[in-house]
Amino acid sequence: MLSHVYIKDLSKHVGESVTLKGWLFNKRSSGKVKFLILRDGTGYLQCIVFKGNVSEEVFALADSVSQEASFEITGKVKEEPRAVGGFELDATDLKLIGDSVEYPITPKEHGIEFLIDNRHLWIRSKKQVAILKIRHRIVKAIRDFYDERGFTLFDPPIITPNAAEGTSTLFEMDYFDLGKAYLTQSGQLYAEAGAMALGKVYTFGPTFRAEKSKTRRHLTEFWMVEPEMAFYDLDDDMDLAEEFIEYIVQTVVKDCRPELEVLERDISKLEKIVRPFPRISYTEAVEVLKSKGREFTWGDDFGAPDETVISEDYDKPVMIHRYPSAVKAFYMKRDPENPEVALAVDVIAPEGYGEIIGGSQREDNLDFLLERIKEHNLPQKYFEWYLDLRRFGSVPHAGFGLGLERTVTWICGIDHLRETIPFPRMIYRNTP
RNA sequence: UCCGCGAUAGCUCAAUGGUAGAGCAUUCGGCUGUUAACCGAAGGGUUGUAGGUUCGAGUCCUACUCGCGGAGCCA
């Protein structure tokens, strides 16, 4: 039995004397009474130290204990509507565990550069704790969603010999006598092999892009979940993506209300994220852009501002499908009814949060796939194993990738991706 | 890579070309119910770096460094 209790469990201990352990979040005092706000990772608790109730040493310690010092405190739990969290501790004893001298992050405002430099401490603050808890809940929701639907987790390699799509810039490394190797930018090709073995699989892990992107929507290292399903076509793929997003958002709404409130998220906007989502073709989206007076040529890919304009008509994610095949990856299947377009889909989150999903039905015909590889000037020898998937029992199949950090950013309603991962990796920053 | 913005106390920011200031943090004092508590006092600065204009530069000019967010690319 643990010798101390956690703040989240205090409701079971009202009237009892208990010991808690944690860090000093903030302190206020009024002469002979000290208010110590304890945080322990499960919540916040106001502890009262009255001069008359404790020894002189304890009162002196309550006076001198500084922000983020760790301590152990004992006292009686009582319900107190005036206090954060609804409970309060009437302290009888206090022990310092670890001192904290001039903690750099004060209760006032700070600039982003300073906060990122102190990311290892910044994650102790209220909003960051809320974001990281929501991220955790989303990760669990993702795994639950696929596990409950007969998918098998399938871990692809992180070190790969080639560029999966031949487009992005990758992180390069020397791989012993085998020459250059690269950090993965997607587990998808491997997931396709998994789908042929296990039917329905998903990959979930870190992904790396060496693009020199400097925006609030990009990290060089981020997490992506990629389901891949045998015998699914594009419509099945979109059905799954829609159900998936609804499940994640509604799980967070149900289980993370306190965290969403800390973040001042407009929860009513999340409650609207229920099926069905609007589905429009690329060609229809181009018409929308033109009707709003934007210059756009059929055949170009959408930029982030275009996506925002298209999505602003909806309060749900919008699914844009059938993009010009020229702007999409080599493995995407062309629409048999119109070879100019690929059976691809992007899902654009509402409120201007941009693309959170990119997916497609895959090319399952060996000859067409060989043509695409030639057109994209990709080295066929690296794809022989991938082509084997079409040589030995090829089936229609589809999948998509969902960016974890973009999803967390949207659901939390925050304005930058870097706050959604404990230690963000960006083009000009790889510390702490 | 391109475009724009910025760098002054530990932090967030002020300061017509004329003695560098405030709030928070820190230290000291006051207050028995505080909610980013409050009140009083103190310490704290080579104004990113290098050069230039000027009687005088935080302020104007040039170069550089670093940071920020936007484009492109994408999750």
Side-chain angles (χ1 to χ4, degrees):
Chain A
M1 178 94 180
L2 209 56
S3 61
H4 68 285
V5 302
Y6 289 99
I7 293 169
K8 71 175 169 58
D9 300 324
L10 280 182
S11 60
K12 293 179 238 166
H13 298 278
V14 175
E16 295 173 26
S17 179
V18 298
T19 297
L20 295 107
K21 296 179 181 181
W23 297 263
L24 185 69
F25 186 73
N26 199 1
K27 180 176 70 172
R28 292 179 284 271
S29 78
S30 178
K32 300 193 173 58
V33 58
K34 308 288 175 192
F35 301 87
L36 308 182
I37 310 299
L38 173 80
R39 62 165 193 89
D40 71 351
T42 75
Y44 302 84
L45 173 67
Q46 174 160 284
C47 305
I48 310 300
V49 185
F50 277 109
K51 189 168 183 137
N53 292 0
V54 297
S55 69
E56 255 181 57
E57 293 74 34
V58 165
F59 192 76
L61 178 58
D63 188 52
S64 67
V65 66
S66 55
Q67 191 186 359
E68 287 302 322
S70 53
F71 62 97
E72 175 183 323
I73 190 162
T74 302
K76 195 185 219 180
V77 182
K78 58 180 190 185
E79 291 192 66
E80 174 52 74
R82 283 176 294 184
V84 189
F87 296 98
E88 195 173 77
L89 193 81
D90 201 354
T92 53
D93 197 15
L94 176 68
K95 287 194 191 102
L96 186 69
I97 297 170
D99 206 354
S100 170
V101 179
E102 298 204 27
Y103 186 71
I105 302 179
T106 65
K108 288 281 181 178
E109 287 171 22
H110 298 280
I112 190 60
E113 182 184 355
F114 178 78
L115 289 170
I116 285 273
D117 282 341
N118 289 284
R119 181 62 177 167
H120 51 297
L121 302 175
W122 187 23
I123 52 176
R124 300 182 184 194
S125 66
K126 230 172 196 169
K127 282 194 175 182
Q128 299 306 311
V129 165
I131 293 166
L132 292 174
K133 282 185 182 267
I134 289 173
R135 176 189 170 103
H136 165 254
R137 189 64 193 88
I138 289 172
V139 168
K140 182 166 155 42
I142 287 169
R143 300 188 65 128
D144 288 346
F145 179 84
Y146 291 112
D147 294 349
E148 288 164 7
R149 284 163 181 74
F151 286 68
T152 302
L153 179 66
F154 185 83
D155 299 317
I158 285 172
I159 298 169
T160 63
N162 62 283
E165 303 180 16
T167 50
S168 294
T169 313
L170 304 189
F171 288 104
E172 192 179 277
M173 59 194 278
D174 290 318
Y175 197 81
F176 303 108
D177 297 337
L178 297 178
K180 299 292 183 200
Y182 305 88
L183 293 180
T184 181
Q185 60 150 342
S186 165
Q188 184 216 307
L189 268 47
Y190 297 98
E192 288 184 52
M196 300 306 133
L198 296 153
K200 294 191 288 185
V201 300
Y202 68 104
T203 74
F204 195 7
T207 311
F208 307 87
R209 303 273 168 93
E211 299 289 346
K212 292 194 169 180
S213 300
K214 268 187 65 130
T215 81
R216 65 184 69 195
R217 294 185 310 281
H218 291 87
L219 296 171
T220 56
E221 176 183 327
F222 64 97
W223 282 61
M224 187 155 68
V225 53
E226 297 176 281
E228 189 73 31
M229 298 75 64
F231 307 108
Y232 269 48
D233 63 15
L234 181 66
D235 287 335
D236 299 326
D237 204 30
M238 290 196 280
D239 289 347
L240 184 74
E242 187 177 67
E243 187 184 0
F244 180 43
I245 292 172
E246 178 191 271
Y247 180 88
I248 293 173
V249 173
Q250 295 314 319
T251 298
V252 172
V253 167
K254 178 165 62 73
D255 291 351
C256 301
R257 196 161 283 261
E259 286 79 15
L260 292 171
E261 282 165 4
V262 165
L263 297 171
E264 295 172 353
R265 183 64 164 114
D266 185 345
I267 297 173
S268 69
K269 290 208 161 92
L270 297 178
E271 286 169 335
K272 289 180 186 152
I273 309 303
V274 291
R275 289 173 287 169
F277 297 166
R279 300 181 186 193
I280 63 173
S281 70
Y282 168 90
T283 303
E284 289 167 331
V286 170
E287 290 309 312
V288 169
L289 286 179
K290 285 183 173 165
S291 75
K292 295 192 175 190
R294 285 185 72 88
E295 295 257 330
F296 197 88
T297 309
W298 195 100
D300 291 345
D301 205 355
F302 297 129
D306 300 315
E307 289 177 347
T308 301
V309 169
I310 294 163
S311 67
E312 70 191 6
D313 288 342
Y314 308 97
D315 51 12
K316 295 181 186 185
V318 54
M319 311 175 97
I320 306 173
H321 56 83
R322 291 178 173 79
Y323 283 73
S325 36
V327 302
K328 286 293 182 184
F330 76 95
Y331 53 73
M332 295 184 176
K333 187 176 180 65
R334 296 195 177 179
D335 188 347
E337 293 174 15
N338 178 10
E340 288 288 297
V341 299
L343 295 173
V345 58
D346 281 358
V347 181
I348 314 298
E351 301 174 70
Y353 281 95
E355 183 180 348
I356 53 171
I357 278 181
S360 70
Q361 185 172 337
R362 321 306 189 187
E363 181 53 73
D364 50 85
N365 179 287
L366 178 64
D367 294 331
F368 290 165
L369 192 54
L370 280 166
E371 273 177 39
R372 295 296 101 75
I373 287 174
K374 286 202 184 78
E375 281 169 15
H376 285 78
N377 293 315
L378 296 171
Q380 189 181 323
K381 65 168 180 171
Y382 287 122
F383 292 95
E384 285 301 335
W385 69 268
Y386 184 67
L387 293 164
D388 271 356
L389 305 177
R390 278 71 182 169
R391 293 185 180 112
F392 303 107
S394 186
V395 301
H397 62 291
F400 59 82
L402 173 126
L404 176 64
E405 287 77 15
R406 286 187 181 177
T407 303
V408 177
T409 306
W410 164 47
I411 293 176
C412 288
I414 57 180
D415 67 1
H416 204 300
L417 208 63
R418 65 190 153 207
E419 294 181 39
T420 64
I421 187 167
F423 293 97
R425 291 293 173 256
M426 295 168 294
I427 167 166
Y428 291 126
R429 178 182 293 277
N430 59 9
T431 55

